[in-house]
Amino acid sequence: MATAARVIAVGSSTTTASCFLRKAPLVLKQRPLSSSGGRRLTKRLFFTCNAIHKPQVQIKEEGQPETLDYRVFFLDDSSKKISPWHDIPLHLGDGVFNFVVEIPKESSAKMEVATDEPYTPIKQDTKKGKLRYYPYNINWNYGLLPQTWEDPSFANSEVEGALGDNDPVDVVEIGEKRRKIGEVLKVKPLAALAMIDEGELDWKVVAISLDDPKASLVNDVDDVEKHFPGTLTSIRDWFRDYKIPDGKPANKFGLGNKAANKDYALKVITETNESWAKLVKRTIPAGELSLL
């Protein structure tokens, strides 16, 4: 029996761009992380491929939700498949980044980009052939920063020497609106939590979508505490405890068990973007990861 395919437009006609590793050369672009006292600090490099403006990114659902065959593919405006991990640019300038929604808030199906499949579609994670669910709903929109990668060969000396988890960087988006699977949002990072999951470093960047009513009020970790009181603690505790109902130990956190500030989050994004650049240039073995 043929599975139904549904094509849904996501993103804005004025803000969405896409780029193609297969067709365009890779370039380096310089962006300042921050400035202080009117003096510009040392510039950091954000690695990206040449961005080709696309008026719209579409998603194409194949199969039925909550089945093993379900996939959410990303298409450009000529209906060609692109990768949400590799082909959507990370950096939009002025401290704004693209964020791809994998799991809408108040849902429990553990959706994720299939990093080992061509075009890296979003699918529901499995364990021993069965679909995975969180034991309770996640309370925020959750997804990834494109063009980032947590290198499993890199031991982070600032976080107990933990190795990267071999995935893109995760984002916890704290805005009020429940988003859709595959939606691409413009976000600004606010903080970062260094989760250690079974010895692997799994960064959680806390961010807010620019179209959220409170976006203008929050620009750093202290603003989150002021305008979203208790949220950072709730995020940490949720990710610390969600495996306990399955009989696993609680996850740990580095950096003093606290959320780092915006500058540190930008540092994490820069470093993992550089790791992704090495991956796609094949200076680091890709293993089973798809680079399409």
Side-chain angles (χ1 to χ4, degrees), residues 62-78:
E62 296 186 359
Q64 295 298 319
E66 300 188 63
T67 68
L68 294 173
D69 296 328
Y70 183 63
R71 297 290 185 277
V72 177
F73 285 96
F74 287 66
L75 311 176
D76 65 16
D77 64 349
S78 62

Side-chain angles (χ1 to χ4, degrees), residues 148-153 163-170 201-204 272 275:
T148 61
W149 179 57
E150 299 185 48
D151 183 354
S153 69
L163 302 173
D165 72 347
N166 203 31
D167 282 324
V169 171
D170 296 325
L201 180 55
D202 187 1
W203 288 106
K204 307 298 180 189
T272 54
S275 294

Side-chain angles (χ1 to χ4, degrees), residues 76-193:
D76 65 16
D77 64 349
S78 62
S79 297
K80 292 182 179 179
K81 288 180 179 178
I82 62 173
S83 165
W85 180 19
H86 301 309
D87 292 333
I88 293 176
L90 167 66
H91 195 260
L92 295 173
D94 298 323
V96 178
F97 299 84
N98 274 321
F99 158 58
V100 180
V101 179
E102 294 170 302
I103 305 174
K105 67 187 299 184
E106 305 307 332
S107 64
S108 64
K110 194 175 185 303
M111 309 300 295
E112 62 179 23
V113 162
T115 57
D116 59 348
E117 296 183 11
Y119 303 106
T120 64
I122 295 175
K123 69 171 185 178
Q124 189 166 349
D125 191 22
T126 60
K127 183 177 182 179
K128 296 181 180 179
K130 295 184 178 180
L131 296 172
R132 291 187 65 186
Y133 294 86
Y134 291 122
Y136 30 73
N137 285 351
I138 190 167
N139 306 126
W140 312 273
N141 297 300
Y142 187 58
L144 67 98
L145 287 174
Q147 299 186 346
T148 61
W149 179 57
E150 299 185 48
D151 183 354
S153 69
F154 174 69
N156 193 310
S157 60
E158 297 178 3
V159 190
E160 302 180 20
L163 302 173
D165 72 347
N166 203 31
D167 282 324
V169 171
D170 296 325
V171 172
V172 183
E173 195 277 318
I174 61 174
E176 67 177 19
K177 185 177 179 180
R178 185 179 190 267
R179 305 295 183 160
K180 298 178 181 179
I181 296 174
E183 195 168 354
V184 181
L185 305 177
K186 293 193 299 182
V187 301
K188 56 180 177 181
L190 305 169
L193 286 159

